[in-house]
């Protein structure tokens, strides 16, 4: 992380958040003074070097804000007199988003699959003991502590101590039923060889008195680290998540065997290592990108040592570009890379 500042008629500050940066190189592509430099993506991604993905030359930076505007992931932020330009009406804005609606059923699958750990998930389940009714009793005079009931209990509700370490322990065997776990299914009663267990299930008879179970929770997508890859929306079983990606387009492998420009797959996997979306896999020794999960950032294109990955963007969700010169520069993002 870094920040640089310049004061004059206005106080301008450019701040870089490495936690948000994906190493796509978009900022370096649009910088009119070539003040931004992309670091060695692959060694950084592999943890071989600890450094920021980009650096800035403070002497040549003119604090124009193009890099801040062009970054779809908000890793660069320019502020003027303390106000970030992304909040100003006359600057371009990305219309990307990842949001969860009220249909969320709190299954947690999005939380498990997110490649950036950008989803906070919390689920509140009812107490199982409140959803069942019944009675259970163990006759300890008949019980021989064989453990059949404990071993067979599907709810793990029976606790038994029957491994003596001394002659005293033989007399201290114990068996208890945890009623917060017991579902009164009767398995223990049926397997008991000594008929030492009495059990009654009244859940069905009293079902009208038992409250309908309610599941509540909260699912939050963190804007600070989300890269709009759409893993969450694709895996959501109830379509409760909407993702708007920054770009439209395609990503292809263009190989040339005559020049040895072919994918090295398992022996390279640079594209896989730098992909912030976990969209790249190696299949049969070749790199395969699933565009359903790719945000077309271009990090893999920059990292590919064979220069065989070709990115073509056909549209972007960047709006409110009022400056003709900025429009010309920013539209370069739609050119092939």
């Amino acid at each position: 992380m870094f920040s640089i500042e310049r004061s004059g008629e206005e106080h301008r500050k450019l701040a870089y958040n490495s936690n948000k940066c994906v190493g796509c190189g978009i900022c370096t592509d649009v910088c009119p003074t070539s003040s931004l430099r992309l670091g060695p993506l692959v060694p950084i991604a592999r943890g071989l070097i600890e450094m920021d993905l980009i650096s800035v030359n403070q002497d040549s930076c003119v604090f124009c804000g193009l890099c801040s505007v062009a970054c779809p992931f908000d890793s660069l932020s320019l502020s003027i007199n303390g106000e970030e330009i992304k909040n100003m009406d006359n600057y371009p804005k990305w219309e990307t988003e990842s949001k969860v609606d009220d249909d969320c059923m709190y299954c947690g699958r999005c939380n498990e699959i997110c490649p950036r750990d950008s989803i906070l998930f919390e689920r509140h389940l009812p107490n199982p003991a409140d959803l069942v009714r019944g009675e259970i009793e163990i006759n300890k005079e008949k019980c021989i502590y064989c453990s059949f009931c404990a071993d067979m209990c599907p709810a793990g509700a029976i606790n038994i101590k029957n491994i003596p370490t001394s002659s005293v322990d033989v007399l201290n065997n114990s068996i208890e039923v945890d009623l917060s776990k017991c579902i009164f299914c009767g398995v223990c009663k049926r397997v008991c060889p000594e008929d030492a267990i009495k059990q009654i299930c009244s859940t069905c008879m009293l079902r009208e008195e038992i409250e309908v179970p309610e599941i509540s929770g909260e699912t939050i997508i963190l804007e600070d680290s989300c890269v709009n890859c759409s893993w969450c929306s694709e895996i959501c079983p109830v379509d409760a998540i909407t993702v708007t990606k920054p770009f439209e387009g395609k990503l292809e492998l263009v190989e040339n065997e005559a020049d040895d420009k072919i994918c090295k797959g398992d022996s390279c996997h640079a594209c896989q290592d730098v992909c912030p979306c976990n969209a790249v896999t190696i299949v049969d020794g070749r790199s395969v990108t699933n565009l359903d999960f790719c945000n077309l950032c271009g990090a893999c294109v920059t990292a590919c040592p064979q220069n065989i990955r070709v990115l073509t963007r056909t549209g972007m969700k960047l709006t409110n570009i009022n400056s003709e010169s900025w429009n010309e520069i920013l539209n370069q993002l739609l050119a092939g890379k």
Side-chain angles (χ1 to χ4, degrees), residues 143-291:
C143 179
I144 60 173
Y145 304 98
C146 62
S147 299
F148 291 171
C149 57
D151 293 340
M152 292 293 293
C153 178
I158 300 178
N159 301 308
I160 189 168
K161 175 187 173 183
N162 65 349
I163 303 177
T165 58
S166 68
S167 59
V168 176
D169 287 336
V170 174
L171 303 176
N172 290 333
N173 289 337
S174 64
I175 181 169
E176 301 293 340
V177 179
D178 186 344
L179 293 180
S180 67
K181 296 180 180 180
C182 181
I183 57 175
F184 306 102
C185 62
V187 169
C188 57
K189 176 183 178 180
R190 292 196 294 273
V191 300
C192 181
E194 296 298 314
D195 194 25
I197 300 175
K198 293 182 179 180
Q199 170 272 334
I200 297 174
C201 177
S202 55
T203 301
C204 295
M205 293 182 290
L206 302 176
R207 61 182 179 272
E208 299 300 328
E209 300 178 11
I210 301 174
E211 294 183 4
V212 176
E214 292 186 8
I215 299 174
S216 61
E218 190 171 22
T219 304
I220 300 174
I221 298 177
L222 302 176
E223 294 182 2
D224 283 354
S225 53
C226 175
V227 293
N228 307 109
C229 64
S230 78
W231 271 103
C232 54
S233 62
E234 291 290 335
I235 202 171
C236 180
V238 293
D239 297 325
I241 302 179
T242 302
V243 175
T244 303
K245 297 186 178 185
F247 298 107
E248 298 170 353
K250 60 182 180 179
L251 181 64
E252 302 172 292
L253 286 184
V254 179
E255 300 174 293
N256 186 334
E257 292 188 14
D259 296 331
D260 196 32
K261 295 290 186 180
I262 58 175
C263 179
K264 302 299 183 180
D266 289 319
S267 63
C268 173
H269 55 79
C271 53
Q272 187 179 40
D273 291 340
V274 303
C275 179
C277 304
N278 198 22
V280 181
T281 54
I282 306 299
V283 180
D284 296 330
R286 298 180 74 255
S287 170
V288 177
T289 301
N290 189 329
L291 291 181

Side-chain angles (χ1 to χ4, degrees), residues 43 51 63 109 139 144 171 178 205 237-238 244 273 290 292 295 298 300 304 322:
M51 61 181 294
F63 294 84
R109 298 185 70 189
N139 188 328
I144 60 173
L171 303 176
D178 186 344
M205 293 182 290
V238 293
T244 303
D273 291 340
N290 189 329
D292 287 339
N295 61 14
C300 61
C304 179
N322 298 317

